[in-house]
Amino acid sequence: MLELNTLRQFLVVARLEHLSRAAEELRVAQPSLSRTIARLESELGTPLFDRSGRLRLNETGRLFRGYVERSLGELDAGQRAVAEATSAGAGTVRLASETFLTLTGPLAAYKRAHPSIEVELVWMPAEDMGRGLRAQDVDLCVASQPIRAEGLESVQLLDEAVGLAVPLDHPLAGRTSVSVGELADQPFVSARKGHWQRRVLERLFTANDLTPKIVCEVDELGAIAELISAGLGVGLVPGIARRGATQAPLTWVTVDHPECRRTVTLFWSADSHLSTAARLMRTTIDSWNWITGEPQERRG
């Protein structure tokens, strides 16, 4: 019979595809972890990793990982359900997002309405969200780009234009709109690769056979507006940020392209049991009015 600890260790090795880093994260000796993985493969009767050069999860390993994630996720969900049933309605909800700047309003409203519920916020790139939901590492995900995974349900929260933010003294500051071609030589302040903002920028330029000139790549999204206002470059900014109470002195210019938009979507696993805390969070986010920044009647 496969041990739970062995399966949890396998998932870490499968995620990192590196024994020494996995051993460090798990706080176990690397030789011990290597023996654990070898023993697991022996019990299953097949290798789970390719070991020619760098350690790589093979096709059988990817198949097995999916079952392990779902199985351990169900066990964890069962533990949370029991805890919820014995805690007089209090509980925990785990929300993942690429950025929480968009969610400060509904999160504040949720905590005011449900102060006894613990909220865990998890930064997660969009490409990891499907796996996180299937494994029940998180209850809900908010993403500004598609999540390509089976077994998910979703509701669209917001569809909005993305504009160009420029400093007040920039030559484009007096314009009402600008084409992508006119931005070919502009220095851009951008999010890291994989983030929705960066993907919109790359998609727009690729469609015009251009490559964006990125002079500043940041992980701290809240710093983008400040860096633009400091004169380091220009950048793409969603409409909701334009309506927000940003202190950075900027001008917002419409980008003349139909795909310069973002769609924000709330995702959850269709197969998992959402706790009361998670269902309440889903309702709060789904019923939020992103234009006024206030709750509204929940959509059908």
Side-chain angles (χ1 to χ4, degrees):
M1 181 177 294
L2 302 178
E3 297 181 356
L4 292 180
N5 190 52
T6 295
L7 297 177
R8 295 187 190 281
Q9 291 187 352
F10 160 73
L11 287 182
V12 175
V13 177
R15 171 167 51 85
L16 298 176
E17 294 186 319
H18 198 286
L19 274 173
S20 61
R21 289 206 298 266
E24 182 178 355
E25 180 173 317
L26 291 164
R27 298 184 179 181
V28 299
Q30 181 176 331
S32 174
L33 180 59
S34 181
R35 289 193 296 269
T36 296
I37 297 301
R39 186 166 57 249
L40 174 62
E41 291 176 318
S42 177
E43 291 179 12
L44 293 172
T46 184
L48 300 172
F49 296 88
D50 291 330
R51 292 174 170 81
S52 55
R54 180 181 171 183
L55 189 72
R56 295 281 188 181
L57 195 66
N58 62 26
E59 185 175 349
T60 304
R62 288 190 291 272
L63 174 67
F64 184 61
R65 178 180 62 186
Y67 284 97
V68 173
E69 287 175 338
R70 288 190 292 273
S71 298
L72 295 183
E74 283 298 313
L75 286 174
D76 292 340
Q79 291 178 326
R80 292 193 302 273
V82 171
E84 180 185 1
T86 58
S87 61
T92 301
V93 56
R94 299 157 305 163
L95 174 67
S97 182
E98 300 166 282
T99 173
F100 292 99
L101 293 174
T102 307
L103 297 168
T104 53
L107 286 174
Y110 183 84
K111 284 301 293 182
R112 287 194 299 270
H114 312 288
S116 63
I117 295 178
E118 182 178 348
V119 177
E120 295 182 7
L121 302 179
V122 181
W123 178 84
M124 186 177 289
E127 58 265 28
D128 292 343
M129 288 182 178
R131 183 181 304 166
L133 288 170
R134 290 196 306 271
Q136 299 190 47
D137 292 332
V138 292
D139 303 303
L140 304 166
C141 290
V142 175
S144 296
Q145 52 189 302
I147 297 180
R148 307 190 186 283
E150 297 180 356
L152 302 184
E153 294 187 11
S154 64
V155 60
Q156 181 177 307
L157 303 174
L158 173 68
D159 179 69
E160 64 171 356
V162 175
L164 183 75
V166 301
L168 296 179
D169 58 353
H170 194 276
L172 295 175
R175 298 278 296 275
T176 56
S177 66
V178 63
S179 69
V180 176
E182 292 177 283
L183 301 177
D185 296 323
Q186 291 291 331
F188 272 84
V189 178
S190 174
R192 64 196 173 279
K193 279 187 173 293
H195 189 270
W196 74 264
Q197 182 200 59
R198 179 66 167 271
R199 287 184 170 171
V200 169
L201 178 62
E202 292 173 343
R203 184 169 65 244
L204 294 176
F205 272 67
T206 299
N208 287 267
D209 294 322
L210 298 171
T211 300
K213 180 182 177 183
I214 297 173
V215 297
C216 185
E217 184 179 87
V218 302
D219 288 327
E220 188 180 353
L221 302 180
I224 290 180
E226 297 292 341
L227 292 170
I228 293 172
S229 68
L232 273 73
V234 302
L236 297 181
V237 176
I240 196 171
R242 181 189 183 190
R243 298 189 297 271
T246 178
Q247 300 301 312
L250 298 170
T251 296
W252 197 86
V253 183
T254 299
V255 178
D256 188 15
H257 196 288
E259 293 189 15
C260 195
R261 306 187 64 82
R262 75 157 175 169
T263 300
V264 182
T265 306
L266 175 65
F267 294 89
W268 62 94
S269 174
D271 299 327
S272 64
H273 165 75
L274 283 181
S275 66
T276 299
R279 292 196 301 272
L280 290 170
M281 175 68 81
R282 182 178 62 186
T283 300
T284 300
I285 295 175
D286 183 24
S287 62
W288 192 255
N289 187 318
W290 303 96
I291 304 300
T292 65
E294 298 176 349
Q296 65 182 4
E297 185 178 350
R298 189 182 182 188
R299 293 167 285 178

